[in-house]
Amino acid sequence: MAKIPTFGKELRKREFDIDEDVAFCNSAARACVPQRLIEKQCTIIREREKDSHMWEMKQGPRLIWESTRALAKFIGADVENLTLTENATTGTNTVIKGQRYSPGDKILLSNHSYAAVINQAKITVQDNPGTELVFFDIPFPIRSKVDILTAFKRALERHEQIKLTVIDHIASSSCVVFPIKELTEMCHQHGVIVVIDGAHATAQIELSIEEYGADYYVGNLCKWLMLPQSAGYLWVHPKHQARLQPLLTSHDCFDPFYRTRFYPTLNRDLISQVLVKDALEFYEELGGVKAIASRNSQLVTNAVAMLSEAWGTKLLEVSPDCRAPMAVTLYLPRKLEEAYSGLGRIDLMYDLHVKGVCVRAFFKEDMALLRISCHIWNDWEDFEKVRDTVLELLEEVRGPPRNSPGYYFVPRPETKEVDQNGSMTNGSTKNVVH
């Protein structure tokens, strides 16, 4: 095989099909898939369709097993405790909704918890009368892991009968790295089930899942490992495997073997999951997690320093030892926050994207922030484009706040309005902005 080119523009041109006019700095949302994986994906699809029934009975299970074994080695897991899933959200849904709750039980989450996980907990509490969802804050600045541990300790002592908590390994928005082994030990001392949300950790930092002592660990493979969508995993401690069921009940739901119960149903496309081994080989060709993280960390650290200086803002107050290596969050200029306060993060992201910048913007406590990701295809020019585009947008939005143009929407069904007599009248079709 030909030598892999250096990181940045040369690698991007050779291995990816990223739009040349786009500065793609949002790998923490989802990465770009290398062309070699797309080609392999197409090859396997063609092979499958020659005899799809036999493929599903023989080749598919063999390839899934090979992928699971390769992934287990990569993340430091016992293969018997591991199963592939569609994504981390599937994993957290499975675990949170799969527990037996009693009145008085509580689910504990923090202000860093992922929005989808919060929704899962809300639905679970709604479906289990007498249970409660409780939050606690890990405030900024975070000067060291001691601040995180102290906040957790106070929450555990304050709230009795906590059944379960979901702890981010790397928080989605703040990019904070949590001391999960110490937190797991602390939670277990209070009898709390620990679910680690590792959606942003896999292939960004080295993992040793068996050593953390958690009850469950979920992860994504479509972010930093660059697999196509619908590739994630769920690790389950042996003591929980006997009764845990997949979200979708199918033929193997009563099988005593955990991984058999969680084998994907045959009418789902498993190709992205059978590419795990190929994705890992590509990652190793590039030097592995340490080499990739070292390069990306240095580049993104320098980049956000340049951005904050140009915009007159600052980074989210997180000590370097608690910050993710390949993604950093910083504040946007106050004027952008004011301009988009009546709109939303999607409108801000859209306006940046149409100018060729793909990043994640969000609002927290009335402040507008930007999460910048750096992966192997990024170079300094990408971050210069981010800098200049934000400054350009800043000039365009000066003036009073605008109404939302509804850039990103899904069609609503036709609404019905009630007149004074209580009769239904036809209303207009409306759109909802996400």
Side-chain angles (χ1 to χ4, degrees):
M1 181 175 291
K3 181 181 178 182
I4 296 292
T6 55
F7 295 132
K9 186 177 295 184
E10 183 185 345
L11 181 64
R12 173 173 172 159
K13 187 176 296 185
R14 172 170 168 170
E15 296 287 342
F16 296 90
D17 195 25
I18 304 170
D19 191 328
E20 293 183 358
D21 296 325
V22 174
F24 192 91
C25 306
N26 199 18
S27 300
R30 61 156 294 179
C32 300
V33 182
Q35 282 297 303
R36 59 174 68 192
L37 294 187
I38 295 174
E39 292 168 3
K40 183 67 175 288
Q41 185 179 31
C42 293
T43 297
I44 296 175
I45 290 173
R46 286 191 291 267
E47 291 176 353
R48 180 188 63 191
E49 297 310 311
K50 290 177 182 178
D51 189 343
S52 59
H53 189 66
M54 181 59 71
W55 192 94
E56 289 170 346
M57 289 193 301
K58 190 174 181 179
Q59 285 93 333
R62 175 179 59 81
L63 292 173
I64 288 289
W65 173 239
E66 290 178 358
S67 287
T68 308
R69 285 196 303 177
L71 178 63
K73 183 179 179 180
F74 182 69
I75 62 176
D78 185 332
V79 70
E80 300 300 335
N81 301 333
L82 186 67
T83 185
L84 299 179
T85 63
E86 290 180 312
N87 52 32
T89 299
T90 302
T92 51
N93 264 285
T94 301
V95 175
I96 294 173
K97 296 176 181 178
Q99 305 302 311
R100 294 172 179 166
Y101 297 92
S102 301
D105 284 346
K106 299 179 178 68
I107 298 174
L108 179 68
L109 299 177
S110 80
N111 60 321
H112 294 256
S113 297
Y114 189 52
V117 171
I118 294 173
N119 288 339
Q120 294 159 29
K122 287 179 178 178
I123 292 294
T124 301
V125 167
Q126 178 180 298
D127 292 343
N128 290 270
T131 60
E132 184 181 355
L133 171 60
V134 294
F135 290 91
F136 72 102
D137 280 348
I138 305 173
F140 298 101
I142 297 176
R143 301 178 183 85
S144 72
K145 69 177 182 180
V146 174
D147 291 342
I148 301 173
L149 293 167
T150 300
F152 258 94
K153 186 174 185 294
R154 288 173 179 167
L156 291 168
E157 292 174 346
R158 178 182 178 185
H159 301 285
E160 296 180 354
Q161 206 173 330
I162 296 174
K163 172 80 172 185
L164 175 148
T165 185
V166 182
I167 304 173
D168 293 282
H169 199 159
I170 297 178
S172 173
S173 297
S174 62
C175 302
V176 172
V177 180
F178 283 70
I180 58 172
K181 187 172 183 179
E182 292 158 281
L183 288 172
T184 296
E185 293 173 355
M186 182 188 299
C187 289
H188 282 171
Q189 290 172 5
H190 290 262
V192 178
I193 295 171
V194 177
V195 185
I196 303 298
D197 183 354
H200 293 265
T202 310
Q204 186 175 184
I205 59 177
E206 292 187 311
L207 300 180
S208 300
I209 290 179
E210 296 291 339
E211 298 179 5
Y212 301 145
D215 297 278
Y216 304 91
Y217 192 107
V218 304
N220 275 331
L221 305 175
C222 60
K223 297 181 184 292
W224 301 104
L225 198 55
M226 302 174 287
L227 273 163
Q229 295 297 287
S230 300
Y233 62 90
L234 167 63
W235 177 92
V236 181
H237 192 283
K239 66 184 178 183
H240 298 296
Q241 293 176 10
R243 61 167 304 274
L244 189 69
Q245 286 286 339
L247 288 175
L248 182 64
T249 301
S250 191
H251 298 289
D252 297 318
C253 66
F254 293 112
D255 194 289
F257 191 33
Y258 153 70
R259 287 196 300 101
T260 301
R261 292 199 305 278
F262 277 80
Y263 186 81
T265 54
L266 296 181
N267 63 339
R268 291 189 176 182
D269 193 326
L270 313 178
I271 303 302
S272 59
Q273 296 178 14
V274 306
L275 294 172
V276 171
K277 190 175 179 181
D278 300 275
L280 290 172
E281 289 175 355
F282 181 50
Y283 223 69
E284 290 306 314
E285 286 182 35
L286 295 168
V289 175
K290 281 187 177 180
I292 293 171
S294 176
R295 179 266 180 186
N296 290 345
S297 178
Q298 182 177 357
L299 181 55
V300 77
T301 298
N302 293 336
V304 294
M306 177 264 291
L307 295 176
S308 63
E309 181 178 359
W311 299 340
T313 63
K314 60 181 180 178
L315 308 188
L316 200 60
E317 302 91 336
V318 181
S319 65
D321 60 315
C322 293
R323 187 184 299 158
M326 301 198 282
V328 181
T329 299
L330 71 161
Y331 292 94
L332 281 165
R334 187 77 180 179
K335 196 64 184 179
L336 277 184
E337 171 199 318
E338 295 171 356
Y340 285 89
S341 61
L343 302 175
R345 69 179 184 89
I346 295 296
D347 296 276
L348 175 53
M349 289 170 63
Y350 180 91
D351 285 349
L352 290 169
H353 208 156
V354 294
K355 294 177 179 294
V357 167
C358 182
V359 290
R360 182 176 188 265
F362 62 99
F363 293 85
K364 208 165 187 70
E365 297 176 356
D366 298 324
M367 300 293 288
L369 298 101
L370 206 67
R371 184 187 65 198
I372 300 290
S373 303
C374 179
H375 215 338
I376 56 177
W377 55 78
N378 291 121
D379 58 21
W380 190 251
E381 291 180 9
D382 289 325
F383 302 109
E384 289 180 326
K385 185 166 186 174
V386 174
R387 176 197 63 196
D388 297 340
T389 302
V390 167
L391 292 174
E392 178 184 339
L393 186 61
L394 194 58
E395 290 299 317
E396 294 178 5
V397 301
R398 292 189 185 278
R402 301 170 295 164
N403 293 322
S404 173
Y407 287 128
Y408 184 78
F409 64 92
V410 294
R412 282 283 200 186
E414 186 173 304
T415 59
K416 301 290 184 180
E417 299 174 357
V418 181
D419 63 19
Q420 292 180 348
N421 298 320
S423 301
M424 301 297 292
T425 61
N426 288 328
S428 59
T429 301
K430 297 182 179 180
N431 297 321
V432 57
V433 177
H434 285 265

